[in-house]
Amino acid sequence: HSVHFDGHAFVTAVLGLSDPNTFQGGLYLQPGSSIQSWVFPQIEPGDLLVHSFDLQHGVHIWGGVRYSLIFWIKDSPSSVAMCTSPWYENPAAAGDTDATHHLAENFEHGEFGQRQDVDEAMRLYERSASAGHSFSQNNLGLLCKRKAQKSGADKDELLQQSYQWLRASAESGLSLGQLNLALAYWEGAGVK
C-alpha cells in the first residue's frame, strides 16, 4: 500500500503474524513528506502496533511474504452505526493541518458523515496547503485542474493555481505531487 492515513478509524491496531526474518520491508511510518523519512518498525509475531488516525504510513514488501491482522477502531458505537469520523472537526477548527486535510477529503468525496461539497473541500485544502501540508497541496492542485476543465472564463487562472499547488507539493518531496506535476507539464496544464 502506498503512503496513506487511516482516516476512517480513530485508532488502527496491527497485529504481527509473520516472522520479520521471512520478508524484506513491511509496515513503514512516514513522518515527513518524502520517502527518505520512512521508518520500518520491527513487528514480531504477536506484537501489536497501535496508531491514531493521523499517522502517515504504508506497506512496502520487496521480498518474501508478510501477514498481519488489522483492526480499525472507531471512537463510539454511533460512529460505527452512522459511518462517521467526528474526530477531525475539533482539531481542524483549532488549526491542525492533518485534521483539516482529512476533513477536506471527507467533503470532497462525501464520506464519513460529510455531504459532498467540493467548494468546502477546496477551502479546507487551501487552509491546510497554505500551512505546508503536501497532501493538501497535491489535492488542491488536482481539484483546481478538475474545476478548470469544467470552467469557462477563469480556466487559465485555475490551471495556474493548479500548477502552483502541484509544484509546492512536488518541491516538498511528495512523490504523488511530483507525478502530478510531471503530468501537468506533459499536458501543458497551467505551465508556460
Side-chain angles (χ1 to χ4, degrees):
H1 298 295
S2 62
V3 67
H4 63 279
F5 297 90
D6 290 340
H8 60 286
F10 185 65
V11 172
T12 299
V14 180
L15 178 64
L17 299 176
S18 296
D19 180 339
N21 296 316
T22 62
F23 61 89
Q24 295 175 320
L27 172 75
Y28 64 85
L29 314 178
Q30 185 174 323
S33 60
S34 170
I35 63 172
Q36 281 76 28
S37 68
W38 282 8
V39 176
F40 287 87
Q42 184 165 331
I43 304 173
E44 298 284 340
D47 286 353
L48 186 68
L49 183 138
V50 180
H51 67 82
S52 63
F53 61 89
D54 58 354
L55 180 70
Q56 189 172 240
H57 65 285
V59 175
H60 186 79
I61 305 293
W62 55 86
V65 178
R66 171 189 170 267
Y67 295 98
S68 62
L69 183 60
I70 302 176
F71 303 89
W72 290 293
I73 304 165
K74 297 248 184 200
D75 67 337
S76 69
S78 65
S79 311
V80 174
M82 298 172 62
C83 195
T84 61
S85 299
W87 43 86
Y88 292 126
E89 292 161 13
N90 289 338
D96 182 288
T97 58
D98 286 331
T100 304
H101 169 77
H102 293 297
L103 193 55
E105 284 187 318
N106 291 348
F107 276 105
E108 179 183 358
H109 303 290
E111 295 178 323
F112 305 115
Q114 302 299 339
R115 72 195 181 287
Q116 187 171 25
D117 184 340
V118 174
D119 291 333
E120 179 65 5
M122 288 182 78
R123 187 185 72 73
L124 291 167
Y125 279 139
E126 186 165 12
R127 193 167 84 197
S128 184
S130 295
H133 196 283
S134 57
F135 277 92
S136 284
Q137 291 166 340
N138 178 73
N139 290 12
L140 182 56
L142 293 175
L143 277 182
C144 287
K145 181 180 172 184
R146 198 173 325 143
K147 199 169 183 179
Q149 292 168 339
K150 297 177 182 178
S151 181
D154 55 351
K155 179 178 181 174
D156 290 339
E157 180 182 338
L158 284 166
L159 286 174
Q160 185 60 35
Q161 289 174 6
S162 172
Y163 167 74
Q164 290 170 348
W165 287 118
L166 291 174
R167 183 173 175 182
S169 178
E171 288 176 351
S172 77
L174 183 68
S175 58
L176 188 58
Q178 293 165 349
L179 170 66
N180 287 318
L181 179 63
L183 290 171
Y185 275 112
W186 182 70
E187 296 166 350
V191 183
K192 294 183 181 181

